Amino acid sequence: MNICLWKRVCLSFVFIPAILVSAWAKPTGKWLPVTVEELQLKDCPGMPGAPAVCLFREEYFHHEDFVTRVYRRIKILTAEGRQYANVEISYLDGIQFIDNLKIRSITPEGNERPFNGKIFEKTAVGRGRTRLMLKTFTIPDVNVGDIIEYRYTVGFNYLQATRDRIADLVYILSGNLNKNVDKPFEGGENSGEILSAFMYQWNIQDTLYTLKARFLFKPNKTMSIFFAFAERLNWLYQKLYGARPIQNSDEEIELELDNIPPFEKEDYMTPEANERMNVMFFYCQSDVKSSGNFWPHEIDLWRKGVKKFIGDTGDLSGMAAQLTADQDQPLQKLQKIYEWVQQLKNLSYEPGLLPSKWKDKGYKTNKNAADVLKNKYGCRSDITRTFVALARAAKLDAQVIRVVTRDDKLFRMDLLDMYAQFDSEVVLVKTDDRTIYLDPATPFCPFGMVHWSRSGTVGVREVKGDPEFIDLPNYSFDKASIQREISLALDPGGELKGIVKVTYSGQDALEWRLSAIGNDEVGLRKDFEDDLIAILPNSAKVTLQKIENIDNNQPFLIVYFDVVIPNLAAVAGQKILLPLSPLEGRRQHPFRSSKRTYPIYFSYAFETSDDLTITLPLGIKLEGKPNPTKIATQYFAFSLVTSEENNNTLHIKRNLQMKWQYFETNQYPSLKNFYDQVVAADEQQMVLTGSSNDFK
Amino acid sequence: MISNKPLIFFCFFVLSGVKLIAADAPGWLCNTALTPLPSYKTDIDMVVLLDDRVVTIDDRGTIVVHCRRAVKVLRRQGCEKASILAVQSGFDIRIRNMTGWRLAVGQKTREVSYKEAFETGLAPDVLYTDAKIKILQVPDVDLGNVVGFEWEIQRTPLATEDIFFFQGTFPVCRVSYTINLLPGSEYSIDWVNWQPEKPQPVKGPASYYGIRWEWQNIPPIEVEPFAPDSRAISGRLIARFRVKGSRDSYFPVWGDIGVWYNQLTSDCLVVDESLAEKTRHLASSIPDTAGKLQALADFVQKEIRYVAVEIGMGGFKPHPASSIFSNRYGDCKDKTTLLSAMLRVMNVESYYMLTNTARGVIKSDSPAALYSFDHVILAIVLPSDVPDGVFASVVRHPKLGRLLIFDPTSPYTPLGRLPLYLQGNTALLAIAEGSELLNLPLPNPENNLLERKSLFSLLPDGTLQGEVIEKRRGYLADQSRAEMLNSTIQGRTKYIEMFLGHFFVGFSLQEQEIRNLEENQQELIVTYRISVPRYAKNSGNFVIIRPCVLGDKNSNIEFNENTPRRFPIYLESTSLQRDDFRINLPERWTVKELPPAVNLETDFASYKSSAVIKGSTLVYIREYRLLDPILSASRFEEVKKLFCEINADERNCALIVKSDGI
C-alpha cells in the first residue's frame, strides 16, 4: 500500500461513522409543537396523491462528540402511506449505538399516542461480531391522517472502532461479496500530502416529499491535532435552488429548506451525482482557500508521479527504435507503438481479477515504464504512461492527460478531490499539423480515438507550463455509427425472411468489444441477438451467423444474422399492408412521458442507418407507399425514403442522426417530438395488391 | 460517488476479508470433481455434479441433515451462483457447520469455514423474524472450477418431515437421499413431479438402519411462457418419519395438519371486551347479515395494516386477536385470526385455510406436507339468511355447507371475490374433524372484467381524438388499484401514459378521471381523453387506420419454440374482455377495405371481432372470453395459435380513400 492510500485509510477510519449515519435524519431533545395546519393537512401540496409526506426532518451531526441527532415527523395521507409507520434505523454494532429513541403518533384531532410497542434488533448483514444492525419498530394503531414522529441519537464508541473491525465492516458493506468493481482499475494516483479530505454529506432528498428540513453540522475544532491538514472546514453544495448553508453564531453550519421533492431517476439523465441536492463537507489545510491553490498543488504531485514512472526515456530508445523501424511519419510511428502497447496484458480488464489478487496471481507492481516493458503487463495507467514513454523515446511529443470519466459524474471545480474526479488517463499527442488524443489502455480502442467516457470532459496536463485544465473534445455523430443492411423476402404466408448485416464503428464498436471481454461465445451471441430482437417485432426469430472483428480494433465490427419475422403483414380487405420498417419504432422510443425533470444526456452522439430491401412474392405489387420523411435540425436529423425497384423489390433507406448529446430540460418537448415523428414515420405502411388469399 | 470514497479505499485495503486456507479437499469432493459430464447446451452456466442429503432421525424426533453439494462452473456467468451457499436457521433449525472448497486445476484448494459466513436477518415482507440466513461464499471461483459445500443442520421441526427440492434451474448429474432411522421408526416417501426411484438398504450409523435413493441426470427447469411457478413444477421428494413412541408431529395426511393447526390456533381467537364492542359497533347499523360480514371484512382488510413479526412459532401461530386489534397490524394469519374472532362475536363460524400463493404447489392430489404452505386465509360458514349469489367465492362443503372464502390480506379484493393467486388454487380447511384440501373456485369470466368503450373523431389531418372509458372488475381491477393507489397523481398519469405508449406515439393525455379507486366493491372506472396526431397514415392514395385502437390480450408474448412444451399452461384466470371502439371519419372519407371479421372458438377461450361501417363511423367490436386458464402442456399449440391470430387482428387495418382522391 502506498503512503497516499494509507493516509486515506486512516482518514476513512475516523470519518466512516459520520458517513454511515449521514443518510439519517435528526434533531432536538424534545417534541416540537404540532401545528393546526399539520393536523389538518389532507394532501401533499407539492406532490398530490402521495401516500405520506414528511412534515419536518432534522439532522444534527456534532462532529466533536461524534453524535448525530435525528428527528422526523411524517403525516400519513393514504392507507398505503401507513407503511411509513414501519421504521428501521441502522447502526454499526459495537461501534455505534442508538440512544434516546422516542416515538409517538398523533391523531388528526391532536391526541398524542405514546409508543407502547416493541423495538426489535436485527442483523441486516454481518459476520462474526461485525454487524450492520437495524433497530426496528412499527407504530401501532396508525390511521390515515395520523402524524407519526420519532427522534433518536446515534452515538459513536471510539474504543470499539478498531481498524480491523471497521475494515471488516467496510468489506461487508461494500456488498455483493465477490462483486467486481464497476470500472477498470486505473492506478496512477500520487497525492502525497493531504490538502483536503471529504468527511460528511447531507443527503437532502429522501424517499418522501419533505415540507421542511433543517440540517446542522458542528465542526470538530480538534481535528487538526490529529490531522495536520484539517485546519479549516469547507463545504460545497449543489441543486439547492436558492437556499444556502450558513454558519450560525454557534459556529454550526446550518441549512433550512422547504419543499424538497424526492429524488426520482429518469432514463438518459445526467449523472445522478451531479443532480442530487446535497451539501458536502471537507476539512482542508488552512492555506487551501479555494480551488485556486488546491488544484496546482495536487496536479503537481500527480505530475511528479507520472514523471517518476516514465523515467528516463533514453533507456527506452532502443525499444522505440525497434518498434518504429521503417516508419518515417510521426503518426505511423505512434501507431506502431500504440499497437505494441495494446498487446500488453492489461490487468485492469482481466475478468474477475481485482488488484488485491495480483500478487496471488504472480503479478508484480510496475514502478516504472521499464518494469512494464519487462513484465509485459500492467494496469491502465501503467500502459498509458508506457505508451507516452516510448513515444517520447521515439522523439514524439506526447503527454499523459488525467481526465474525469463522465459516465458517472461531471467535473466540479469546487470539489477539492483530485482522484475522485480525475480517475483515468489518456494521451495527448501533438504532431506538426494536428493534435490527437489516444486511449492505449482501453482494449480495442482504435488509434486516434478515446473511449466516450474520456471524451467531452475535463483533463489535466502532465506537462508543466501549460494551463492545468484542458477540455477534451466530443466526437461527432459519425464516430459512433450502426449501419444495418437488411435483405428480406416476403413469402406468401406473410413471413419476412432474410439476412441482416450490422456494421458497428467507432464508439459503438468499442462498447461491444469491451462487453465481449470476459463473455463467452454463447453469451456474446445472445447479447447480439437480444440487441437485434429488441428492435424487431416480438415474433421475430434472430440467429447470429457470424461475428467479424470483435477482438481487435479494426474500423468495423460486423455481425451477420438470419432473421425470420412471421405474420408481419396485416390484412385490410383485399389489400395487404406491410410496415415500412420491420424495426419496431415504438419500442425504440426512449421518451414516452410528457414530463421531464432532469436534462437529457446521451453517452455520445450517434448515427443509425438502415438499408432495407424487401422482395415481394410473385403476383404482389406495391400499390401505395408513404411519402418520404425528412427532419433536419442542428441537433438531430432523420430521413426515410421508400422506392420500388424492378417491380418486385421495395427499397427503404432510413437514417437517424443524434448530433448532440446534452439537452436542457426545456428542450425535452422538441426532442420528444422528434422521436414521435421518427416512430410515426417508421410505423407507416405500404399497401400491396393481391388478395389476402395470397397470404394464407 | 463522493460519499462512498472511504468505503472504496477500504475495499482496496481489505479487499477480500475472507481468510482463505490452502487445504486438501475432502475425498468425496475430489472424486466428484472427476465425474465425466454429459454434453449440455452451451448456455448452461453450471452443473450440479452431486446433491447429496443424509437425514438422521433420533428417538426424540430430532432430525440431523447432512448435505454435500458439488458444482462445476461451465460459463463465467455461473461463477457467482456456484460460489454461494445460503442456509436458513430459525427457532427449529440450528446450523451446525458449513464449509466450502474451491478446486481449480493447477492451483491450491481453497477452503472457507463457517465462521467466514455472512448472516442476515432480513426477510421480504417481514418486519422482524428471528430466523436468519447464513451465506457462505467461496471466493475467486472461475470458469472450470469445481466448488464444493458440506453443511449440517439440526432440526426440531413441528412436523417430522423433510422436503428435498432436487430440481432447479441447473442440470444435476447425481442426487442421493439417505435416511437413517432407529429400529422401530418408520418412514414414508412421496415424489412430486418425478417418477419414484427405488430405494436400497445401506448401512447406517451405529444402531441406525439406512435407506438410500440415488438417481441421475435431472434436467433443469427452463423458462416457458405461461408456465406455473417453478415451485409447482420442480422435482422434489417429501419424506415423513414416524418416530417410535411418538405421534405428535407426524402428519401423513392433510387432515392431520388441519387438525393440528386448528388446535394450535384455538387460543388465539379469544375475544376481549374492546374487540367485541368494536365488532358490535361495526355491525350494529347494518340490517342484513351479508352487510355485517362485509363491514367486518372491510375493517380487517383496510384498518389492519400488514406487518409481519415472526418470533419462534410465530411463523405458524398467529398473535392473539385482542393484540392484533389493539395494535391494528398483523400478518396474514393475524388478519385471518382477527376476522375469525370478530365473526365469533356475531355467532358466525369460520375456519383457517392454509394455502400456497403459488398456484399449483398444492393440488388436490399432492402429498401432505406442513412446509408446503405460505399463506393463511379464512373460510366463513355463510349463515342461512345470506342468499345464494350474494358472494361469488363460495365453496359448498358437504358438512359445513356454504363456505365463503376470503383473503383479508389482499388489500384490494373485497369479500366475495378472490385475489388472482387464489383463483383456482387449492387450500387446506383446518377444522377439528375432517380437515381436507378444497379447490378454490375460479370466478365466472364476467367477474374478471375489462371493458373499453370509446368514441373517437378522426380529424382530416389524421389526428385521432376522443374519450376512452375503461371498466375493470376482479383481479384486473385489483392490479390497477395496486399500481395507482401506491402512486401520486402524477404517477397515475405516468402509469396511463406508459400504457398508451404501447399503442401510440406522440399522443397527449388531455383529461383523466379515476372513479372508485378506493371502493373495492365497485368497478374501477378510468376515463381519459387522448389526442393522437398522425394516427391515420397516408400511403399512396390510401389513408390507413387501425380499428383496434388500443389494448392487447397476451398476444405480444414471445413463444419459445426451440423445445417441446414441458409444463402446463397457466393463463392467469378466467376473464371477459370487451372493446368497443367507434371512430367518426371526416367528411368525404370513404372506407375501401376493412379487416376481416375474426371468430375463434376453443373449449378454453373464444375471441370474436368485427369492423364495420355505420354511416360515417368505423365501428370495431371485439370480445375475448377465457373460460379455462389452466391447460395441459399438450394444448400449447392451440394457445399459441389463438394468441397469434388475436395479435394479427389487433394489427389489421382499414384502408380509406378521400373522395378528392388525395
PDB file of all heavy atoms in Angstrom, chain A residues 8 19 36 131 136 158-159 195 226 542 595 605:
ATOM      1  N   ARG A   8      -5.350   7.705   3.401  1.00  0.00           N
ATOM      2  CA  ARG A   8      -6.783   7.717   3.151  1.00  0.00           C
ATOM      3  C   ARG A   8      -7.483   6.673   4.009  1.00  0.00           C
ATOM      4  O   ARG A   8      -8.592   6.878   4.487  1.00  0.00           O
ATOM      5  CB  ARG A   8      -7.048   7.443   1.667  1.00  0.00           C
ATOM      6  CG  ARG A   8      -6.734   8.651   0.832  1.00  0.00           C
ATOM      7  CD  ARG A   8      -6.782   8.347  -0.642  1.00  0.00           C
ATOM      8  NE  ARG A   8      -6.481   9.563  -1.378  1.00  0.00           N
ATOM      9  CZ  ARG A   8      -7.402  10.450  -1.711  1.00  0.00           C
ATOM     10  NH1 ARG A   8      -8.648  10.249  -1.373  1.00  0.00           N
ATOM     11  NH2 ARG A   8      -7.077  11.530  -2.369  1.00  0.00           N
ATOM     12  N   ILE A  19     -20.066   9.131   7.967  1.00  0.00           N
ATOM     13  CA  ILE A  19     -20.593   8.858   6.632  1.00  0.00           C
ATOM     14  C   ILE A  19     -21.752   7.880   6.707  1.00  0.00           C
ATOM     15  O   ILE A  19     -22.764   8.028   6.064  1.00  0.00           O
ATOM     16  CB  ILE A  19     -19.471   8.298   5.753  1.00  0.00           C
ATOM     17  CG1 ILE A  19     -18.496   9.418   5.484  1.00  0.00           C
ATOM     18  CG2 ILE A  19     -20.011   7.738   4.462  1.00  0.00           C
ATOM     19  CD1 ILE A  19     -17.112   8.970   5.292  1.00  0.00           C
ATOM     20  N   VAL A  36     -51.755  23.370  13.810  1.00  0.00           N
ATOM     21  CA  VAL A  36     -53.097  23.061  13.309  1.00  0.00           C
ATOM     22  C   VAL A  36     -53.025  22.696  11.827  1.00  0.00           C
ATOM     23  O   VAL A  36     -53.694  21.770  11.352  1.00  0.00           O
ATOM     24  CB  VAL A  36     -54.033  24.287  13.513  1.00  0.00           C
ATOM     25  CG1 VAL A  36     -55.397  24.023  12.887  1.00  0.00           C
ATOM     26  CG2 VAL A  36     -54.171  24.578  14.995  1.00  0.00           C
ATOM     27  N   ARG A 131     -21.248  -6.234  12.547  1.00  0.00           N
ATOM     28  CA  ARG A 131     -22.602  -6.311  12.015  1.00  0.00           C
ATOM     29  C   ARG A 131     -23.196  -4.935  11.767  1.00  0.00           C
ATOM     30  O   ARG A 131     -22.999  -4.024  12.566  1.00  0.00           O
ATOM     31  CB  ARG A 131     -23.517  -7.002  13.044  1.00  0.00           C
ATOM     32  CG  ARG A 131     -23.338  -8.466  13.088  1.00  0.00           C
ATOM     33  CD  ARG A 131     -23.794  -9.063  14.392  1.00  0.00           C
ATOM     34  NE  ARG A 131     -23.342 -10.440  14.416  1.00  0.00           N
ATOM     35  CZ  ARG A 131     -24.049 -11.439  13.945  1.00  0.00           C
ATOM     36  NH1 ARG A 131     -25.251 -11.223  13.469  1.00  0.00           N
ATOM     37  NH2 ARG A 131     -23.577 -12.661  13.965  1.00  0.00           N
ATOM     38  N   THR A 136     -35.568  -1.852  14.820  1.00  0.00           N
ATOM     39  CA  THR A 136     -36.786  -1.937  14.027  1.00  0.00           C
ATOM     40  C   THR A 136     -38.019  -1.813  14.915  1.00  0.00           C
ATOM     41  O   THR A 136     -38.074  -2.441  15.967  1.00  0.00           O
ATOM     42  CB  THR A 136     -36.828  -3.306  13.309  1.00  0.00           C
ATOM     43  OG1 THR A 136     -35.650  -3.437  12.531  1.00  0.00           O
ATOM     44  CG2 THR A 136     -38.037  -3.436  12.420  1.00  0.00           C
ATOM     45  N   TYR A 158     -15.726   5.052  20.408  1.00  0.00           N
ATOM     46  CA  TYR A 158     -14.357   5.129  19.885  1.00  0.00           C
ATOM     47  C   TYR A 158     -13.587   3.834  20.118  1.00  0.00           C
ATOM     48  O   TYR A 158     -12.864   3.351  19.252  1.00  0.00           O
ATOM     49  CB  TYR A 158     -13.569   6.235  20.589  1.00  0.00           C
ATOM     50  CG  TYR A 158     -14.140   7.611  20.439  1.00  0.00           C
ATOM     51  CD1 TYR A 158     -15.185   8.051  21.236  1.00  0.00           C
ATOM     52  CD2 TYR A 158     -13.603   8.482  19.508  1.00  0.00           C
ATOM     53  CE1 TYR A 158     -15.692   9.317  21.118  1.00  0.00           C
ATOM     54  CE2 TYR A 158     -14.102   9.769  19.376  1.00  0.00           C
ATOM     55  CZ  TYR A 158     -15.148  10.182  20.185  1.00  0.00           C
ATOM     56  OH  TYR A 158     -15.646  11.435  20.049  1.00  0.00           O
ATOM     57  N   LEU A 159     -13.733   3.309  21.333  1.00  0.00           N
ATOM     58  CA  LEU A 159     -12.856   2.206  21.726  1.00  0.00           C
ATOM     59  C   LEU A 159     -13.098   0.951  20.893  1.00  0.00           C
ATOM     60  O   LEU A 159     -12.213   0.133  20.711  1.00  0.00           O
ATOM     61  CB  LEU A 159     -13.067   1.891  23.207  1.00  0.00           C
ATOM     62  CG  LEU A 159     -12.717   3.050  24.138  1.00  0.00           C
ATOM     63  CD1 LEU A 159     -13.023   2.680  25.582  1.00  0.00           C
ATOM     64  CD2 LEU A 159     -11.237   3.425  23.997  1.00  0.00           C
ATOM     65  N   LEU A 195      -4.357  17.755   1.344  1.00  0.00           N
ATOM     66  CA  LEU A 195      -4.778  19.151   1.483  1.00  0.00           C
ATOM     67  C   LEU A 195      -6.224  19.259   1.892  1.00  0.00           C
ATOM     68  O   LEU A 195      -6.637  20.210   2.538  1.00  0.00           O
ATOM     69  CB  LEU A 195      -4.585  19.883   0.146  1.00  0.00           C
ATOM     70  CG  LEU A 195      -3.171  19.934  -0.413  1.00  0.00           C
ATOM     71  CD1 LEU A 195      -3.170  20.730  -1.699  1.00  0.00           C
ATOM     72  CD2 LEU A 195      -2.214  20.535   0.586  1.00  0.00           C
ATOM     73  N   PHE A 226      -5.029  15.832  15.293  1.00  0.00           N
ATOM     74  CA  PHE A 226      -4.750  14.502  14.750  1.00  0.00           C
ATOM     75  C   PHE A 226      -4.302  14.528  13.299  1.00  0.00           C
ATOM     76  O   PHE A 226      -3.488  13.723  12.874  1.00  0.00           O
ATOM     77  CB  PHE A 226      -6.024  13.640  14.871  1.00  0.00           C
ATOM     78  CG  PHE A 226      -6.531  13.524  16.269  1.00  0.00           C
ATOM     79  CD1 PHE A 226      -7.609  14.283  16.689  1.00  0.00           C
ATOM     80  CD2 PHE A 226      -5.909  12.694  17.186  1.00  0.00           C
ATOM     81  CE1 PHE A 226      -8.092  14.192  17.983  1.00  0.00           C
ATOM     82  CE2 PHE A 226      -6.381  12.603  18.478  1.00  0.00           C
ATOM     83  CZ  PHE A 226      -7.465  13.348  18.890  1.00  0.00           C
ATOM     84  N   VAL A 542     -34.232 -14.502 -34.456  1.00  0.00           N
ATOM     85  CA  VAL A 542     -32.941 -13.992 -34.910  1.00  0.00           C
ATOM     86  C   VAL A 542     -31.879 -15.029 -34.611  1.00  0.00           C
ATOM     87  O   VAL A 542     -31.804 -15.540 -33.488  1.00  0.00           O
ATOM     88  CB  VAL A 542     -32.615 -12.657 -34.191  1.00  0.00           C
ATOM     89  CG1 VAL A 542     -31.186 -12.235 -34.477  1.00  0.00           C
ATOM     90  CG2 VAL A 542     -33.595 -11.576 -34.612  1.00  0.00           C
ATOM     91  N   LYS A 595     -43.676  14.500 -19.050  1.00  0.00           N
ATOM     92  CA  LYS A 595     -42.954  15.356 -18.100  1.00  0.00           C
ATOM     93  C   LYS A 595     -41.477  14.966 -18.033  1.00  0.00           C
ATOM     94  O   LYS A 595     -41.120  13.811 -18.215  1.00  0.00           O
ATOM     95  CB  LYS A 595     -43.559  15.198 -16.706  1.00  0.00           C
ATOM     96  CG  LYS A 595     -45.016  15.617 -16.600  1.00  0.00           C
ATOM     97  CD  LYS A 595     -45.114  17.103 -16.326  1.00  0.00           C
ATOM     98  CE  LYS A 595     -46.522  17.530 -15.997  1.00  0.00           C
ATOM     99  NZ  LYS A 595     -47.490  17.387 -17.070  1.00  0.00           N
ATOM    100  N   ALA A 605     -22.851  11.280 -29.213  1.00  0.00           N
ATOM    101  CA  ALA A 605     -23.625  11.492 -30.433  1.00  0.00           C
ATOM    102  C   ALA A 605     -23.510  10.238 -31.305  1.00  0.00           C
ATOM    103  O   ALA A 605     -22.489   9.539 -31.262  1.00  0.00           O
ATOM    104  CB  ALA A 605     -23.085  12.704 -31.184  1.00  0.00           C
TER     105      ALA A 605
END
